[in-house]
Amino acid sequence: MIIKAVCALIGLPVLALVGLFVWGGLRSGPAPLSESDALIPAAILSEQLSDGMIEAQVYVLGNLGYRIEIQFSPSFTSNISSTMPPEVSLSMESMHMDGLNQPLELVGNGAWQGQGEVPMAGMWIVNVGYGDEFAEVHFAAR
Ligand SMILES: [Cu+2]
């Protein structure tokens, strides 16, 4: 009897949690951000190109959604201004699916952000750079 009561007490919050997740999964529109997905990058990039330092974080948002945050710090010899967006393209690791260009929005000094959805789940490659010099980072879209 006591055990049953305890189970019922534990069961209710668990049911509520499960319900929340199901509701979140069924919701249409922009993917709901779970706390961990929104805060922890699925992939991190940090690479020194001749024009400057490229740092990027890729966040996986669910429903094939992703967000890319980029910080570009031009080197002293670079003539790329901090208001010039880097080129970002996405391609698939094991398939001939490429040419997805990611438009970026300037959100700060040398800081860029872009968001979108890939057409299928799996390993994707993000290329970030200027001209013919690119840094790359891989992430698992889901
Ligand atoms: Cu594919």
Side-chain angles (χ1 to χ4, degrees), residues 84-99:
M84 183 181 171
E87 283 170 54
V88 177
S89 71
L90 285 92
S91 56
M92 251 201 134
E93 219 163 60
S94 57
M95 299 169 106
H96 297 283
M97 294 173 78
D98 48 18

Side-chain angles (χ1 to χ4, degrees), residues 20-74:
L20 266 179
F21 277 114
V22 168
W23 178 77
L26 292 177
R27 248 177 55 179
S28 59
L33 307 186
S34 87
E35 208 173 309
S36 61
D37 284 344
L39 296 176
I40 302 166
I44 295 173
L45 168 68
S46 179
E47 198 167 321
Q48 183 70 46
L49 304 178
S50 59
D51 273 314
M53 182 78 172
I54 295 262
E55 288 168 291
Q57 297 85 41
V58 182
Y59 297 84
V60 170
L61 309 179
N63 296 331
L64 302 178
Y66 62 86
R67 186 177 75 252
I68 301 172
E69 294 176 9
I70 298 165
Q71 176 70 48
F72 177 65
S73 313

Side-chain angles (χ1 to χ4, degrees), residues 4 35 37 53 77 83 86 91 97 100 118 138:
K4 260 190 181 171
E35 208 173 309
D37 284 344
M53 182 78 172
T77 55
T83 54
S91 56
M97 294 173 78
L100 285 182
V118 290
H138 299 213

